């Protein structure tokens, strides 16, 4: 496989050596998923997103799927938009709203852990 480039310039192959943390985090820096925790995080404070006025005037509805990193204190540390429809119409409203949410943190083996979760926010006009 010599001569092949995979866009990983500067990757230290020693990071894969036994006994080193390398690319995988351990201890307090470990981030788990919903499938691996004993108790998932639970939202205790939610801020409703502001419906974008332009979308409201035009009668546009949609949704945004977000990936969140919730830390050991239950705070949102990272928000990534995974999917949205229609594209980019509701992204900013969803991101800024969910960034302010507070959670009871996820639990694993009796302790709090950081966890990556997915949340969908739907934007619907009154029926």
């Amino acid at each position: 496989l010599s001569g092949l480039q995979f866009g990983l310039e500067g990757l230290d192959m020693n990071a894969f050596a036994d006994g080193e943390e390398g690319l995988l985090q351990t201890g307090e820096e470990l981030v788990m998923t919903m499938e691996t925790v004993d108790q998932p995080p639970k939202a205790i404070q939610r801020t409703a997103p502001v419906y974008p006025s332009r979308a409201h005037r035009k009668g546009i509805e949609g949704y945004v799927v977000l990936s969140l990193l919730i830390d050991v204190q239950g705070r949102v540390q990272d928000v990534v938009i995974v999917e949205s429809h229609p594209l980019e119409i509701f992204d900013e409203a969803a991101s800024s709203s969910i960034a302010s949410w507070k959670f009871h943190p996820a639990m694993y083996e009796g302790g709090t852990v950081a966890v990556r979760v997915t949340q969908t926010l739907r934007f619907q006009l009154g029926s």
Side-chain angles (χ1 to χ4, degrees), residues 69-83:
L69 175 61
I70 301 170
D71 70 13
V72 296
Q73 283 84 33
R75 298 176 304 215
V76 176
Q77 292 297 312
D78 183 48
V79 178
V80 177
I81 296 176
V82 176
E83 177 184 351

Side-chain angles (χ1 to χ4, degrees), residues 18-124:
D18 290 337
E20 294 185 25
E21 288 186 33
L23 296 176
L24 299 177
Q25 301 296 323
T26 60
E28 293 182 14
E29 297 174 357
L30 178 68
V31 175
M32 302 186 80
T33 64
M34 289 286 284
E35 294 79 21
T36 58
V37 296
D38 296 330
Q39 181 180 338
K42 181 178 180 184
I44 55 174
Q45 180 183 342
R46 297 178 185 169
T47 304
V50 176
Y51 211 104
S53 58
R54 186 173 173 195
H56 189 268
R57 280 193 314 272
K58 293 185 174 191
I60 299 172
E61 296 183 333
Y63 65 90
V64 180
V65 180
L66 306 115
S67 173
L68 316 173
L69 175 61
I70 301 170
D71 70 13
V72 296
Q73 283 84 33
R75 298 176 304 215
V76 176
Q77 292 297 312
D78 183 48
V79 178
V80 177
I81 296 176
V82 176
E83 177 184 351
S84 62
H85 181 77
L87 286 176
E88 299 180 1
I89 300 292
F90 301 105
D91 294 7
E92 180 61 35
S95 295
S96 54
S97 167
I98 210 154
S100 68
W101 287 22
K102 305 286 186 253
F103 293 82
H104 280 296
M107 301 292 291
Y108 180 71
E109 294 184 352
T112 59
V113 292
V115 65
R116 175 119 349 231
V117 300
T118 302
Q119 177 69 47
T120 301
L121 294 183
R122 298 192 183 283
F123 291 79
Q124 297 176 318

